[in-house]
Amino acid sequence: MRILAIDSSSMVATVAITTDGILNAEYTINHKKTHSQTLLPMIAEIVKMIEIDMDSIDAVAITGGPGSYTGLRIGSATAKGIGLALNKPIINVPTMDALAYNLYDSRALICPIMDARRSQVYTGIYRFQEHKLVTVEAQMAVPMAEMIEKLNARGEEVVFLGDGVPVFGKMIQENLKVPYSFAPAHVNKQRAAAVAALAEIYFREMI
């Protein structure tokens, strides 16, 4: 099974191709360029580098939100265009689920946070059980102060990731009463490889 995955839900633009659970290529840019400038050239580059035929792709995976409206719209249009041209299915992966999957088999609660402005975050709470991602609280948009209260009430260790960490890191440090950590650079933002890995699970469940 070969999956082309796209995530444009934030400033990060990331695309990947996986085949039967193996990552063939991933291209990620976290820079001030519009996704309309980056996504198609990035896809073209990885297809060229790994020398595959686009017809060999079985499905196109895309993060469906929450996130930047413009970014999601561009990513969705790109995925739908490729899917229609190749007559391949589109697999929707919730943004927070994909972010949480970066931290596969974490023993702590996983709390992805994306800055939603006005002191709010797009977020959710996840854990891994028997190597499977489990949703503790589904993705939502809430004030960061409310999310901190939720996590304090749970009383469990938590790891944060996402572009909300630099924005709300000080608030977390000052108000969170449970043990916590911040994910390191290689897994703390959107990664299309995680989108592809989840999409393959979802796709196999559908067929």
Side-chain angles (χ1 to χ4, degrees):
M1 180 181 298
R2 178 167 287 162
I3 293 176
L4 167 65
I6 300 167
D7 191 331
S8 58
S9 59
S10 69
M11 184 181 290
V12 176
T14 177
V15 299
I17 293 175
T18 60
T19 305
D20 294 331
I22 296 172
L23 177 61
N24 304 119
E26 185 177 35
Y27 193 159
T28 300
I29 292 179
N30 184 14
H31 191 65
K32 294 181 180 180
K33 286 190 174 183
T34 66
H35 296 310
S36 59
Q37 293 176 294
T38 56
L39 288 180
L40 285 174
M42 289 164 65
I43 293 168
E45 182 66 19
I46 64 173
V47 167
K48 177 183 175 183
M49 289 296 291
I50 63 176
E51 299 178 333
I52 66 164
D53 190 322
M54 286 289 283
D55 283 334
S56 69
I57 291 169
D58 295 298
V60 181
I62 182 71
T63 46
S68 160
Y69 172 77
T70 301
L72 291 168
R73 181 173 54 82
I74 294 169
S76 177
T78 302
K80 287 179 180 177
I82 294 171
L84 285 171
L86 301 177
N87 193 28
K88 304 296 182 180
I90 307 294
I91 304 171
N92 176 65
V93 178
T95 303
M96 296 298 111
D97 295 23
L99 261 174
Y101 208 67
N102 282 359
L103 304 182
Y104 179 80
D105 254 4
S106 169
R107 289 175 293 179
L109 287 176
I110 302 168
C111 184
I113 52 174
M114 290 177 64
D115 184 15
R117 308 296 172 89
R118 298 182 180 180
S119 299
Q120 290 197 325
V121 288
Y122 299 123
T123 186
I125 302 175
Y126 300 85
R127 71 166 79 250
F128 277 89
Q129 291 180 345
E130 298 180 354
H131 315 298
K132 293 182 179 180
L133 183 68
V134 175
T135 302
V136 178
E137 292 202 28
Q139 58 183 24
M140 66 190 100
V142 295
M144 187 62 207
E146 182 178 326
M147 178 51 67
I148 289 174
E149 289 178 6
K150 286 177 179 286
L151 294 169
N152 281 336
R154 289 192 170 275
E156 298 181 59
E157 181 182 357
V158 58
V159 56
F160 294 93
L161 72 160
D163 64 22
V165 169
V167 180
F168 297 101
K170 185 177 180 181
M171 181 187 292
I172 291 168
Q173 291 168 353
E174 292 176 348
N175 296 281
L176 196 67
K177 296 179 174 61
V178 298
Y180 69 90
S181 60
F182 299 127
H186 65 295
V187 289
N188 70 4
K189 298 289 193 303
Q190 281 80 352
R191 288 195 60 181
V195 178
L198 266 183
E200 182 169 342
I201 294 170
Y202 296 164
F203 188 74
R204 292 188 186 280
E205 289 174 350
M206 289 170 10
I207 58 177

